[in-house]
């Protein structure tokens, strides 16, 4: 089973849980596929199964923004940052030094009078790793129609979905994802962060229009997919 790890969607907790399942249930190994490898770029056949976790696109963008900002601002060390080319790192620093919070960026996403290195903010976002990993980079609706997922998790319903997944693969032990969440250091305390303004939400709805089409399609078909054997 391939687990496509869509960042900021509960994937780190799931990864740890899947490692536990795979070690105990050798007949159903679950292989994590890194962020940069997308499902639609892989040639599937009838024996392949794949799973992933979804998150509301705007909520996910919000989380990605602050996670990336923490890394770029130097509050955390990141292996990703170490691998990134120096030019890209400098560009990221320019973006995040220009935008101290998410509304500064998103309210001006299409502002023609605000540019960085000659680029509109929306074009800058498309150059920043993680921020440019939209849901549409993993899937298209045509791909999903032709290659049905084996199971879909929702970030907002992660434990319940995980319990149902374990039942589907006949894994009988219960794993508490909340306890695993504490083992990895990827969480963000959102309490002190600026909340999205209505203008920011409106601009993100435009920017993430295709993501919402895919997200809504998957949510509408989630139960049917998860209950199929």
């Amino acid at each position: 089973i391939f687990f496509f790890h869509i960042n900021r969607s509960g994937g780190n907790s799931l990864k740890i849980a899947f490692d536990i399942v795979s070690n105990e249930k050798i007949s159903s190994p679950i292989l994590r596929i890194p962020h940069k490898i997308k499902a639609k770029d892989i040639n599937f056949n009838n024996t392949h199964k794949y799973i992933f976790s979804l998150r509301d696109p705007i909520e996910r963008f919000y989380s990605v923004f602050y996670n990336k900002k923490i890394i770029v601002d130097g509050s955390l060390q990141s292996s990703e940052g170490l691998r990134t080319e120096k030019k890209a790192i400098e560009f990221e620093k320019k973006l995040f030094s220009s935008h101290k919070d998410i509304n500064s960026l998103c309210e001006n996403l299409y502002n023609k009078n605000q540019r960085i290195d000659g680029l509109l903010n929306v074009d800058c976002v498309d150059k920043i790793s993680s921020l440019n990993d939209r849901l549409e980079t993993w899937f298209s609706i045509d791909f999903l129609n032709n290659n049905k997922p084996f199971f879909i998790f929702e970030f907002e319903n992660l434990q319940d979905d995980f319990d149902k997944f374990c039942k589907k693969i006949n894994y009988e032990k219960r794993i508490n994802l909340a306890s695993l969440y504490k083992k990895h250091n990827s969480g963000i305390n959102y309490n002190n962060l600026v909340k999205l303004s209505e203008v920011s939400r409106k601009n993100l709805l435009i920017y993430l229009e295709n993501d919402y089409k895919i997200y809504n399609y998957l949510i509408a078909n989630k139960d049917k997919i998860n209950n199929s054997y």
Side-chain angles (χ1 to χ4, degrees):
I1 301 174
F2 293 147
F3 166 49
F4 286 96
H5 189 166
I6 300 174
N7 47 338
R8 311 310 301 174
S9 301
N12 285 314
S13 296
L14 286 174
K15 175 188 176 298
I16 298 171
F18 292 152
D19 286 344
I20 295 171
V21 173
S22 296
N23 288 334
E24 296 183 8
K25 191 174 175 63
I26 306 300
S27 61
S28 299
I30 303 167
L31 175 66
R32 174 188 175 269
I33 307 297
H35 303 316
K36 294 301 178 185
I37 300 177
K38 312 304 185 187
K40 66 183 185 181
D41 296 329
I42 291 181
N43 290 324
F44 282 87
N45 60 40
N46 292 331
T47 63
H48 289 127
K49 297 177 181 177
Y50 73 98
I51 58 180
F52 54 87
S53 180
L54 283 177
R55 188 174 188 174
D56 176 88
I58 286 180
E59 296 304 318
R60 179 172 168 264
F61 186 96
Y62 181 93
S63 181
V64 170
F65 173 88
Y66 279 112
N67 183 65
K68 191 73 177 178
K69 183 170 176 58
I70 288 170
I71 294 170
V72 172
D73 286 351
S75 299
L76 293 175
Q77 293 297 317
S78 167
S79 57
E80 178 190 1
L82 295 174
R83 292 195 300 269
T84 307
E85 294 181 5
K86 184 178 179 181
K87 185 176 180 180
I89 293 173
E90 290 305 314
F91 186 79
E92 290 175 356
K93 286 181 178 179
K94 286 182 181 180
L95 178 76
F96 286 102
S97 63
S98 298
H99 301 292
K100 300 300 183 183
D101 63 58
I102 195 162
N103 288 329
S104 172
L105 172 65
C106 293
E107 288 181 356
N108 294 287
L109 208 55
Y110 299 100
N111 186 347
K112 294 182 179 179
N113 296 318
Q114 193 176 100
R115 297 175 184 266
I116 298 174
D117 290 354
L119 296 174
L120 295 176
N121 285 314
V122 67
D123 298 320
C124 294
V125 168
D126 283 338
K127 289 174 65 70
I128 302 295
S129 65
S130 296
L131 281 177
N132 61 9
D133 276 337
R134 295 182 298 280
L135 193 59
E136 65 177 325
T137 66
W138 268 276
F139 316 107
S140 66
I141 291 178
D142 283 345
F143 171 87
L144 292 164
N145 276 325
N146 293 324
N147 304 273
K148 301 291 185 186
F150 179 68
F151 201 91
I152 299 170
F153 301 84
E154 259 185 281
F155 178 82
E156 294 79 6
N157 200 37
L158 206 58
Q159 183 67 60
D160 188 48
D161 285 341
F162 181 76
D163 292 342
K164 290 176 181 176
F165 171 77
C166 289
K167 183 178 180 180
K168 186 170 184 175
I169 64 169
N170 298 315
Y171 182 79
E172 296 179 355
K173 292 183 181 179
R174 190 176 192 275
I175 298 174
N176 186 340
L177 295 182
S179 66
L180 302 182
Y181 180 80
K182 298 173 183 176
K183 292 184 180 181
H184 63 77
N185 224 359
S186 301
I188 295 175
N189 184 348
Y190 295 100
N191 293 331
N192 297 322
L193 298 178
V194 173
K195 306 304 179 187
L196 278 170
S197 68
E198 286 305 308
V199 173
S200 293
R201 285 189 175 277
K202 287 178 181 178
N203 283 338
L204 284 174
L205 281 171
I206 296 170
Y207 181 68
L208 298 169
E209 179 182 5
N210 288 334
D211 273 23
Y212 270 106
K213 289 178 182 177
I214 297 167
Y215 175 80
N216 290 333
Y217 168 85
L218 287 167
I219 293 299
N221 288 278
K222 177 189 168 191
D223 287 345
K224 182 179 178 181
I225 288 168
N226 290 357
N227 292 328
S228 65
Y229 284 82

